[in-house]
Amino acid sequence: MLLASTFGTSFLPTFNEGTITVFLSAPPGTSLHESDRLARSVDQQLIQVEGVEHVVRRTGRAERDTHAEPPSRSEIEVRLKDGFSREDVLPGIDKVLRAIPGIQTETGQPIEHRLSHILSGTPAAIAINVYGDDIEKLRLIAREVEAELNQIPGTRDVVGNREALIVSLPIRYRHDDLEQFGLTPADAAEQVHHAFFGAHVAEVNEGVRRYDIVVRLDPRDRQSIQSVKDLLLRGQGGALVRLEEIADIGRENTPMGIQRENARRKAVISTNVAEGYNLGHLVEEVQRRINPIVIDKHGYQVTYGGQFEAQQNASQTIYVMGAGVCVVILLLLYMAFRSMRAAALVMVNLPLALVGGIAAIFLTAPHAFANAQALLSLGSEPYRAPVISIASMVGFVTLFGIAVRNGILLVDHYSQLQREGHSVDEAVRRGSMERLVPILMTALCAVLGLVPLAIAAGEPGSELLAPLAIVVLGGLVTSTLLNLVVVPAGYYLIFKNRPMEFAAAADDWLHDSPPS
C-alpha cells in the first residue's frame, strides 16, 4: 500500500489509435482563404516528419454540423506508418507546431479527443471552468490561468477558450429617422437580412430533387463597410433611403460568443497531460496553483472537469462497489462455514492478491528499473509514477472474487478432514497436500488465459483489457503462492483449540441443509 500511494491515476489508458489529431486555431475572424493557406503550410511540414504516412485536413465545419467550427479552426488527422508509435512521432509534430507564430495548437487522437469533448466540451483532458458575471474580468482571469498553466511541468496544449474579441459591424437604427420614411426597426432589419443573407423566393423540382432559389446581393456589393452603408431600403409609399441615413454603422469589438453553464457566464481553459506525467498528480498540482488565483485573488468560482471529473466519479463508484463485493463475499462465507473466523481467514486472500496486483503494475510500467532505483535513492533518474486507470481498478475487483476461491478450497477441505476424525495438525498437513494440485491447476488455467492479454499491452485494441489482465495475473500469482502458506498457518492458529465446534457447524450447513 505504501508503494501504491506513489502511483498516479488516469481515467482510461492511453489509446494506440495509429493516428494523431492536430488542432489549429487561427485568430477569430480569419477568413477561409487565409486559414486554408496557413493550414496547408502545416500539412506540408507535417508530412515531412519521420513516421508520418499521410495527413488529411478539415478546415471549418458547416453551420448546422453537430460540432460546428469557424473557418479559423482546422483539424488535421496524421496517420502513422507501421512500426511507429505516437511517442516516436509526437516530438517531431511538436517541433513543427512550435515554429508557427500566432496560432493555438493542440494534439490528441480521434477517439480520445471526442471522448474528452463529450466529458467537458473541450478536446483536452483537463478543463478548468471559471464562473463569473463580468466578461472583462473573466477574460483577465483566463489570461492569468493560462500563463500559470504554462509554468506547470506536465501540461501541454494549454488553450484559453475565453470569449475572444472579434470585429463586428453593428447596425443601430435611429427611430426618428425610421419614422420619417415610414419604416420600423423590424422592417429595416428584414430588408438588410435579405440583402446580405438571402431571401427564399421559389422552389424548383427536378424529378425527386428539390432546390430552393435564394436571392441576395451580388458579392461585389457586400464586401465592404461602405457597401453596407450604401444599401438602399424601401420605405412606405416606395420611398428609397440609404441605410446610413437611418442607422449608425461602425466597427466594434465584441465577444465571439458568451459561454454559459447553469445560467452563469464562464471561461474555459484546457490542457492535456504531457508524456511521463499522469492525470491525478497533474490535477492536484493544477488545483494548488490555480485556486489561489481564481478564488483568493479574484473571488470567482472554479471547477475542474474533463477526464479528471470522470475519473473521480468512476473511482468512487468502483470503491463503493468493491467494498460491497467484499461485504457480500464475507457474508456468504459466514453462511457457508458458520464461523466468522473461518470467513475472515478466507478473506486474507484479498490483501495477498492486492500485493501481486500492485507489484504487477509497478513492474510492467515504463522505466520500472529506473523507478526502483529512484525509490531507493540509488539513481539519478526522477521517479515516474506508474498509473492506475479505471481498467486496472476493475481488474482488482475481478481479482478479489478469483482469489477467495483458493482459500475456500483449503478451509473447506480442512473442516472435512476434521469431521472424519483427524486432528487439526494432521488435517492442515494432509489437506494442504491434497489441495495443492487443484489450486495450482485452476490458477495455472487462469494465468494461461491472461498471459496473451498482458503480452499484448500497447497494441491497438488492448488498451482496456491489458491493464485488467496485468492486475489479475499478478494478483493470482501472489495470492496462490502465499495462500498455500498463510491460510494453513492461520487455520492451525485459529482452530487448534476449538476444532470440533467449527467442524460440526460446517457439517450441518454444508451437508444437511436442503438443496436450493
Side-chain angles (χ1 to χ4, degrees), residues 184-514:
T184 65
D187 294 335
E190 183 179 13
Q191 293 186 49
V192 173
H193 183 273
H194 288 167
F196 289 95
F197 295 98
H200 178 263
V201 296
E203 188 177 80
V204 176
N205 296 330
E206 289 186 1
V208 296
R209 297 184 178 182
R210 294 183 178 183
Y211 301 94
D212 292 333
I213 296 180
V214 177
V215 178
R216 62 177 175 177
L217 284 179
D218 186 275
R220 292 173 296 180
D221 296 328
R222 48 188 172 89
Q223 284 186 341
S224 64
I225 298 177
Q226 190 59 44
S227 300
V228 178
K229 293 180 178 180
D230 293 340
L231 178 65
L232 291 176
L233 304 183
R234 188 177 298 275
Q236 189 176 15
L240 297 177
V241 58
R242 294 184 184 278
L243 183 58
E244 64 179 343
E245 296 179 19
I246 58 172
D248 296 323
I249 306 169
R251 291 175 179 268
E252 187 176 290
N253 289 331
T254 56
M256 65 175 295
I258 298 178
Q259 301 184 65
R260 292 181 182 270
E261 186 174 340
N262 296 327
R264 297 192 65 187
R265 292 174 177 173
K266 73 171 184 177
V268 182
I269 307 92
S270 61
T271 180
N272 280 320
V273 183
E275 297 294 333
Y277 295 84
N278 65 84
L279 181 65
H281 289 167
L282 181 60
V283 169
E284 291 178 1
E285 181 64 17
V286 168
Q287 290 176 329
R288 188 182 69 83
R289 302 271 286 268
I290 300 304
N291 285 346
I293 296 176
V294 179
I295 300 175
D296 301 337
K297 183 178 178 180
H298 295 284
Y300 273 31
Q301 181 185 357
V302 60
T303 62
Y304 300 86
Q307 293 188 23
F308 159 71
E309 185 178 20
Q311 184 266 335
Q312 278 195 325
N313 294 336
S315 297
Q316 185 177 6
T317 301
I318 291 177
Y319 288 144
V320 173
M321 295 301 294
V325 167
C326 293
V327 171
V328 171
I329 291 175
L330 183 62
L331 292 176
L332 292 175
L333 290 174
Y334 175 73
M335 292 172 62
F337 296 119
R338 299 295 179 89
S339 170
M340 185 56 69
R341 293 188 178 187
L345 178 61
V346 175
M347 295 292 286
V348 168
N349 281 275
L350 300 189
L352 301 183
L354 202 64
V355 170
I358 293 173
I361 293 175
F362 182 84
L363 294 175
T364 56
H367 315 289
F369 183 72
N371 282 341
Q373 289 183 314
L375 287 176
L376 300 174
S377 301
L378 299 178
S380 58
E381 293 289 330
Y383 180 73
R384 299 183 181 182
V387 178
I388 297 180
S389 65
I390 298 301
S392 302
M393 297 180 68
V394 172
F396 279 111
V397 177
T398 306
L399 177 62
F400 289 165
I402 300 175
V404 168
R405 176 198 58 201
N406 293 339
I408 295 175
L409 289 174
L410 286 177
V411 173
D412 180 60
H413 196 51
Y414 296 158
S415 64
Q416 181 180 353
L417 291 174
Q418 283 189 264
R419 289 193 298 272
E420 295 174 357
H422 297 282
S423 65
V424 174
D425 181 86
E426 186 179 357
V428 169
R429 293 177 181 273
R430 179 179 172 181
S432 299
M433 295 303 298
E434 291 179 352
R435 284 291 179 262
L436 176 62
V437 172
I439 289 176
L440 293 179
M441 180 186 67
T442 55
L444 184 61
C445 288
V447 166
L448 292 177
L450 293 170
V451 165
L453 291 176
I455 294 177
E459 296 295 326
S462 67
E463 294 87 349
L464 297 178
L465 291 177
L468 186 150
I470 288 172
V471 167
V472 177
L473 187 60
L476 272 178
V477 171
T478 57
S479 67
T480 301
L481 298 179
L482 295 177
N483 171 75
L484 295 172
V485 177
V486 175
V487 172
Y491 186 92
Y492 179 80
L493 292 175
I494 293 173
F495 296 107
K496 63 181 179 180
N497 296 323
R498 34 181 281 172
M500 298 307 297
E501 297 87 346
F502 165 66
D507 183 67
D508 292 341
W509 196 88
L510 290 172
H511 299 281
D512 296 340
S513 59

Side-chain angles (χ1 to χ4, degrees), residues 37-64:
R37 185 189 68 82
L38 292 171
R40 190 180 299 276
S41 173
V42 177
D43 291 345
Q44 295 171 353
Q45 296 180 62
L46 290 179
I47 199 65
Q48 303 299 323
V49 175
E50 185 180 4
V52 174
E53 182 176 349
H54 63 255
V55 299
V56 179
R57 173 169 52 88
R58 175 174 50 244
T59 297
R61 286 178 183 249
E63 293 180 359
R64 297 185 180 181

